[in-house]
Amino acid sequence: MDTLTPTQIGEKLSKTAKEINEFLSEINFIKKCNSGWELTDLGKKNGGIQNNYKGNLSVYWKTEILNNKIFKNAVEPQEVKDKDETDFRNKFKAEYRTNDGHYVRSRAEVIISNWLFGECIAHAYEKRVPIEEDVYCDFYIPKGKIYIEFWGYEDDEKYLARKQKKRELYKKYNLNLIEIDNSKINNIDDFLPRELLKFGINLN
């Protein structure tokens, strides 16, 4: 069976082994541990092979990893082609400016972004979720690999269908998700610290 190390994968993609492992970690194929890199269940399903050399953990990959859609999207994100996602982004324009210069699609997202910025939590807005399906998250926090979704349009049928689809995808890929709705946005100072703590971010 042909396998590749992160170094060999990197050589083919003009990346370093460190960058390759960071991509694989971001998509939850591997996770960092005291002994190196540990293979996750999702990584195992996608061709990862755990290697333990004198207590140092690393992961080899079947050559198919080079054609793996999730991995390829992480290395070089593709434009989303999903019609529902595109329709949503066209309908709700990013017109609200936040304190750190992002333009977001609602006043509630301004509140979330400004809160994260005020707490010095590095975050991205509308980052492509590194999965096979075409999905953008509302916010992404690299520390803890946390995705935040704000659900605001409860009277729109297409929006509710999109919401359900996205929730199922977060669950399918076992991603860290914080969900905020209109009732929680007014209590964000209490709500978000509790939720972040579940994923290892302590603001105290």
Side-chain angles (χ1 to χ4, degrees):
M1 178 176 57
D2 292 333
T3 60
L4 298 171
T5 65
T7 298
Q8 291 169 325
I9 296 170
E11 288 170 353
K12 294 178 181 296
L13 301 176
S14 300
K15 305 287 183 184
T16 65
K18 182 175 183 290
E19 288 174 317
I20 294 300
N21 279 329
E22 286 172 352
F23 288 131
L24 291 163
S25 174
E26 183 179 324
I27 59 179
N28 200 30
F29 281 16
I30 59 175
K31 61 182 179 181
K32 189 73 173 168
C33 64
N34 292 335
S35 305
W37 291 103
E38 186 177 348
L39 185 65
T40 65
D41 288 341
L42 187 59
K44 190 174 182 179
K45 289 177 184 176
N46 284 276
I49 302 160
Q50 185 73 65
N51 181 52
N52 186 341
Y53 180 71
K54 295 183 178 179
N56 295 315
L57 298 181
S58 61
V59 179
Y60 293 165
W61 298 91
K62 295 178 183 177
T63 54
E64 288 85 350
I65 190 68
L66 296 171
N67 297 314
N68 183 288
K69 188 174 179 182
I70 302 173
F71 176 64
K72 287 172 70 175
N73 278 342
V75 176
E76 192 171 338
Q78 304 298 309
E79 186 63 33
V80 165
K81 297 176 183 176
D82 182 88
K83 186 178 184 303
D84 290 340
E85 188 72 24
T86 303
D87 287 349
F88 173 82
R89 292 160 69 80
N90 289 335
K91 182 176 180 180
F92 301 102
K93 302 293 185 182
E95 299 174 332
Y96 299 87
R97 193 172 191 277
T98 67
N99 290 344
D100 58 355
H102 289 129
Y103 280 88
V104 299
R105 299 178 191 278
S106 69
R107 294 189 186 281
E109 289 183 342
V110 171
I111 292 171
I112 296 167
S113 184
N114 287 350
W115 189 92
L116 294 170
F117 180 67
E119 294 292 339
C120 300
I121 297 174
H123 62 284
Y125 179 66
E126 289 201 336
K127 177 181 170 63
R128 170 115 187 212
V129 181
I131 59 178
E132 288 189 22
E133 293 81 0
D134 290 338
V135 176
Y136 280 95
C137 64
D138 288 339
F139 296 93
Y140 174 69
I141 301 173
K143 183 180 180 181
K145 296 174 191 157
I146 301 165
Y147 297 86
I148 295 178
E149 291 287 352
F150 172 70
W151 311 121
Y153 303 96
E154 296 299 328
D155 297 327
D156 186 310
E157 271 190 35
K158 287 190 73 174
Y159 179 86
L160 291 174
R162 175 177 173 272
K163 170 183 174 180
Q164 184 60 31
K165 176 182 173 183
K166 289 181 78 173
R167 291 176 83 179
E168 288 171 357
L169 289 173
Y170 281 115
K171 185 175 181 181
K172 173 183 175 181
Y173 290 100
N174 196 30
L175 299 172
N176 296 333
L177 174 64
I178 294 175
E179 301 180 78
I180 303 176
D181 58 23
N182 286 316
S183 66
K184 296 183 178 72
I185 200 72
N186 296 322
N187 197 30
I188 197 168
D189 288 327
D190 293 326
F191 176 74
L192 262 182
R194 288 199 309 269
E195 293 298 300
L196 291 171
L197 188 59
K198 294 176 183 177
F199 302 115
I201 297 181
N202 189 346
L203 300 181
N204 296 326

